[in-house]
Amino acid sequence: MPGQYVSVRVDLAAKGHHQSRQYALSDAPRQDRYRITIKRAGVKDHEFRNLGLVSNLLIDEKSSGDIVELTHPAGDFFLDTDNPSNVPIVLISAGIGLAPMISILNTVCQRSPNRPISWFHGSHHDIPFYEHVRNTERSHQNFRVNMFQTRPTGPGQVYTIHRGRLNLEKVRPADLWLYNRLAEYYVCGPEQFMLEVARYLQAQGVDSGHIKFELFCVGDKEFKVDPLDLIWTESRAFYKKT
C-alpha cells in the first residue's frame, strides 16, 4: 500500500553482525519493484551518534543487480487503495517524511486524477523530488503545494514557497480543506513535528479519526504509538497539575 515501508537487512562486516533499517516506499506500488529513498548520514551523525551505518552502506557499497534482504511492505500508515474515495487528501510532512508522501501522491494522481490533494512540506535546504513535484503540480489542477524552507538554495520554485519552519497558520485554510469534515490527513516526520501538527488540526476541529500517522524507531525493534493518545495523556497530566 502507498505509505508503507520495507525493512532492509544488510551484513555489517565491520561490526560482525546483521542490521535492519526501515525505509518508506517512495513510489506508487508496482508488481515488479519497490523504490525506497535513502538519506546519507553526515560525518557527525555517523561517527558520534552511530547513525547512518546501514544507509551509508547501501549508498556507497550497493549497486544495481546486488541482492539485499527485505520484507514485504508493512505498517499502519497507508492510503487504502481497496476503498477508493474522492474526499480531499492533505499530506503534511517534514524532512525524510517526504518519501511516503511521494508514494501516496503518485498513487492518487495515477488512480484518481480528479481527487483533490494538498501537500505541505518543510525542509532545510533542497527539496527532494523537486522536478517531479513541480511537473505534477503543472499537470494536475487538483494538486496544491505549499513548501517551507529554512535555508532555501537552488532555483526558485513555481509552487507556493515560504521561508522558515513549516507553519500551517501561514497557509490558506482552503488549501488545508478545513471546511471539509471528510478530508483525510496524512502526517509524517519527526515525532515532535507530528504531535504539533496533530494538536493544530484538532484545534481547528479536525476529527482525530481523520488524522493518520505512525511512529517507529530504527533497528530491529519496532514500536507503534498513537500520537493522539500522547496528546490526550499530556493534556490530562496538565489538568492534574492545576
Side-chain angles (χ1 to χ4, degrees):
M1 292 287 188
Q4 291 187 308
Y5 63 86
V6 294
S7 292
V8 179
R9 191 172 83 153
V10 299
D11 180 16
L12 296 176
K15 299 290 184 179
H17 59 78
H18 292 86
Q19 187 64 268
S20 298
R21 289 292 184 269
Q22 289 73 46
Y23 298 98
L25 300 179
S26 59
D27 200 0
R30 291 178 46 166
Q31 294 293 326
D32 60 337
R33 72 173 189 181
Y34 297 139
R35 186 178 77 177
I36 60 176
T37 299
I38 303 173
K39 178 183 178 181
R40 177 182 292 280
V43 174
K44 182 177 180 180
D45 287 339
H46 181 66
E47 293 183 353
F48 296 100
R49 297 173 59 191
N50 203 34
L51 298 177
L53 291 176
V54 175
S55 294
N56 288 356
L57 182 147
L58 290 172
I59 293 172
D60 295 332
E61 301 183 18
K62 298 299 180 181
S63 303
S64 177
D66 289 346
I67 296 176
V68 296
E69 296 181 69
L70 75 159
T71 65
H72 291 292
D76 296 327
F77 179 82
F78 60 85
L79 174 69
D80 188 357
T81 56
D82 292 332
N83 295 296
S85 171
N86 285 321
V87 302
I89 291 179
V90 180
L91 310 177
I92 306 174
S93 59
I96 197 60
L98 168 144
M101 302 308 191
I102 287 288
S103 177
I104 294 175
L105 172 66
N106 290 353
T107 300
V108 172
C109 290
Q110 291 175 15
R111 300 190 181 189
S112 306
N114 295 322
R115 186 173 186 178
I117 182 169
S118 293
W119 189 4
F120 304 86
H121 179 72
S123 176
H124 288 308
H125 300 289
D126 297 334
I127 299 174
F129 299 103
Y130 160 70
E131 290 295 339
H132 175 72
V133 173
R134 183 172 70 173
N135 292 335
T136 301
E137 184 193 31
R138 288 172 172 171
S139 59
H140 290 78
Q141 295 182 350
N142 293 325
F143 180 37
R144 306 173 184 177
V145 187
N146 284 263
M147 296 291 180
F148 290 75
Q149 286 182 287
T150 55
R151 296 185 291 274
T153 59
Q157 281 75 12
V158 298
Y159 40 71
T160 303
I161 189 165
H162 308 270
R163 284 183 176 269
R165 191 168 178 266
L166 192 154
N167 185 348
L168 296 180
E169 294 181 349
K170 292 184 177 181
V171 304
R172 297 186 306 168
D175 286 353
L176 274 172
W177 292 95
L178 294 175
Y179 58 84
N180 190 315
R181 297 305 180 187
L182 297 178
E184 299 176 357
Y185 296 82
Y186 294 81
V187 187
C188 191
E191 178 179 333
Q192 187 59 36
F193 166 81
M194 292 194 290
L195 294 176
E196 291 175 359
V197 169
R199 291 189 184 99
Y200 178 81
L201 293 176
Q202 287 184 306
Q204 304 307 309
V206 176
D207 189 296
S208 62
H210 292 180
I211 306 173
K212 303 179 181 181
F213 32 35
E214 182 177 60
L215 299 178
F216 60 91
C217 64
V218 298
D220 297 317
K221 294 184 179 179
E222 177 190 355
F223 67 92
K224 296 188 177 83
V225 180
D226 185 347
L228 299 180
D229 286 343
L230 293 178
I231 294 170
W232 180 81
T233 301
E234 291 176 0
S235 299
R236 182 178 60 177
F238 174 79
Y239 287 122
K240 280 186 175 181
K241 290 180 181 179
T242 58

